[in-house]
Every structure is written in structure tokens, then in C-alpha cells.
Amino acid sequence: MSPTTDHRLRVSRDWSTRLLDLLFPSRCVNCGRPGAALCADCLATIQPISSPTCPRCGNPLSSPDAVCFDCRAHPKTITQIQSVCWHDEVARRAVHALKYKKRRDVAPELARFLVAKLAVSELDIDLITGVPLYPVRELERGYNQADLLAIHTANARGLAYKRVMRRTRATRDQIELDAAARRLNVKNALFADEQQVAGKNVLLVDDVATTGATLEACASALFQARARGVYGLTVTRPRPGN
Ligand SMILES: [Zn+2]
Ligand SMILES: [Zn+2]
């Protein structure tokens, strides 16, 4: 597909999305109430992760201030991963609607959690980017949900959003795979733009961190392009054992 065709498709999709927004105003993805994409009542039920977590990968821990078993067994490349909420009930439905039901209006609601986390963290970030999708998948979906979250977060925090990575081959949806298969699935499938990331601290945004394999693969690509630090930040993470 030529870049022009790609662009035209994108523009017509944008228009049809806007028309649909006018005809059918937003409803809460959880309770269906008209108004916001996530109403205040449903938003308030989303559970933040408040237990101690691994300072490296964000896994829940029984004792604070030590890296988790997984980080000791498989040392990670990524500087740090943090997630804000548990991936259950309302949060899970909201992420699902954003990813699979074309509810891009959920992105600003979920980005609030990332913005709040950044407001209390002491990360020194030069740019924000989203975990990339393979271009064909992004075209099918009409957007990359991770980029939408990254853009809303960057705007709210007055930080620079940039697209600095691309997928160089199609990968299967991580949700279908176990941990080892996930690591293989994304290995060497990503490429980062050295001109944009060399010497920079990059905040890498995604909707959910399951094993962290995708964030880790992105971090490898970013470090190959000489990024200084790579900080993963996701809205949700499944509870241990889920
Ligand atoms: Zn609701
Ligand atoms: Zn860890």
C-alpha cells in the first residue's frame, strides 16, 4: 500500500469516527450510562496497585526494596517498569474497549492514571512514546491505543510525544502466548530511531504489562539506538496468578 493510500484511508477513517461520535455520543464502557467513556462512579472502582512492587519490573512483592525472583533469574534490560492499576473488572473492560471495540474515547480516561503516577514519580523524562503496533494492525484498528495513551499523557504533563519505534515484522497478539513464547515473539521485531532517542530518557507507554516481554523488547531496541534510560509505564497489570 502506498503512503498516499495509507494517508487517505486514515483521513476517511478519522471523518467517519467523528461522524459516529456526533450521532452516538459516548457511553460508559462499563455501565452504559450516557456521558463520559468511563463515568465517575465506574472510574472510582478501579483498584490502584498499592502493595509493594519490584523496583525493577513492577511485579508485586511480599517484601519491599529487593528485586523480584524473576528479575534475579532473568536480569532485565529495561531501566524500570511501573503499572498503575490492577487489570480486573472495570479496568479490564476499559482496556478491552480501547483495544478491540474502537473506543478511542477511553484513552484520555485511562491516561489520567498515567498522568497521576508521573506527577508523584521523580522520573526525568525527555520524551514519551507508545509501544508500536505492526502497521497493518494499526491500520485495521485505525489507531495505536498505546500511542493515544502516550499522547494524552504527554499533553497533560507538558512533555514531548514522539513516534520513535516501528515493528519490522508482524507478531502474534501476545495474549495468545505463554511467557517464553512472548519473549521469542517480539525479539528482533522492533527498530528504534537513533537520531531521536540517543542520549534520551524515554518513557514507554502501553495499556497493559502482562509479562513485560513487549516492553523489554522495546527497551532492547531503544538501547541499541543509544537511549540513556527506558522507563515502562502501563495503565494495568494482571494480579499475580491471573
Ligand atoms: Zn459507568
Ligand atoms: Zn522484578
Side-chain angles (χ1 to χ4, degrees):
M1 188 182 293
S2 75
T4 323
T5 322
D6 180 292
H7 179 69
R8 276 188 205 136
L9 263 176
R10 239 173 247 257
V11 169
S12 66
R13 242 175 235 268
D14 274 2
W15 274 104
S16 52
T17 308
R18 273 179 223 165
L19 188 62
L20 283 172
D21 287 348
L22 280 174
L23 293 172
F24 306 102
S26 228
R27 282 179 178 275
C28 174
V29 290
N30 189 54
C31 70
R33 192 183 300 173
L38 251 179
C39 74
D41 289 348
C42 291
L43 202 61
T45 66
I46 293 181
Q47 295 287 308
I49 300 172
S50 54
S51 50
T53 54
C54 171
R56 195 75 200 261
C57 74
N59 269 336
L61 284 178
S62 43
S63 67
D65 300 326
V67 295
C68 71
F69 175 79
D70 190 55
C71 284
R72 288 199 300 271
H74 309 279
K76 311 248 181 329
T77 306
I78 196 161
T79 314
Q80 187 186 55
I81 303 175
Q82 295 186 90
S83 306
V84 192
C85 315
W86 293 119
H87 190 72
D88 45 28
E89 308 207 355
V90 176
R92 192 183 59 232
R93 266 173 230 134
V95 166
H96 189 269
L98 172 64
K99 260 171 122 153
Y100 303 113
K101 294 189 174 172
K102 307 218 181 278
R103 287 296 302 268
R104 56 190 297 161
D105 56 338
V106 178
E109 305 296 340
L110 291 180
R112 291 164 187 254
F113 292 100
L114 306 180
V115 173
K117 186 77 176 177
L118 284 181
V120 296
S121 81
E122 290 173 357
L123 298 183
D124 178 17
I125 297 300
D126 297 306
L127 65 94
I128 301 188
T129 197
V131 165
L133 284 176
Y134 191 64
V136 168
R137 190 167 293 165
E138 184 168 344
L139 200 62
E140 281 166 5
R141 197 170 287 176
Y143 55 87
N144 171 1
Q145 75 282 354
D147 272 333
L148 295 186
L149 293 168
I151 291 165
H152 286 291
T153 305
N155 289 344
R157 297 291 305 158
L159 289 161
Y161 159 81
K162 286 183 182 163
R163 259 179 107 113
V164 297
M165 266 183 295
R166 59 186 166 81
R167 289 206 186 233
T168 50
R169 62 178 169 81
T171 52
R172 289 172 62 193
D173 202 330
Q174 292 284 76
I175 213 153
E176 302 162 11
L177 307 169
D178 67 17
R182 281 174 196 221
R183 279 196 287 274
L184 268 180
N185 186 39
V186 287
K187 198 167 182 261
N188 301 325
L190 293 147
F191 174 83
D193 178 357
E194 185 165 341
Q195 280 197 327
Q196 299 201 74
V197 306
K200 302 279 170 61
N201 277 336
V202 179
L203 184 79
L204 185 58
V205 167
D206 208 357
D207 43 22
V208 47
T210 309
T211 62
T214 307
L215 291 167
E216 180 66 9
C218 289
S220 297
L222 287 161
F223 282 123
Q224 264 176 32
R226 299 194 303 116
R228 183 147 61 103
V230 180
Y231 298 87
L233 180 63
T234 74
V235 179
T236 69
R237 169 183 301 250
R239 285 182 194 269
N242 280 353

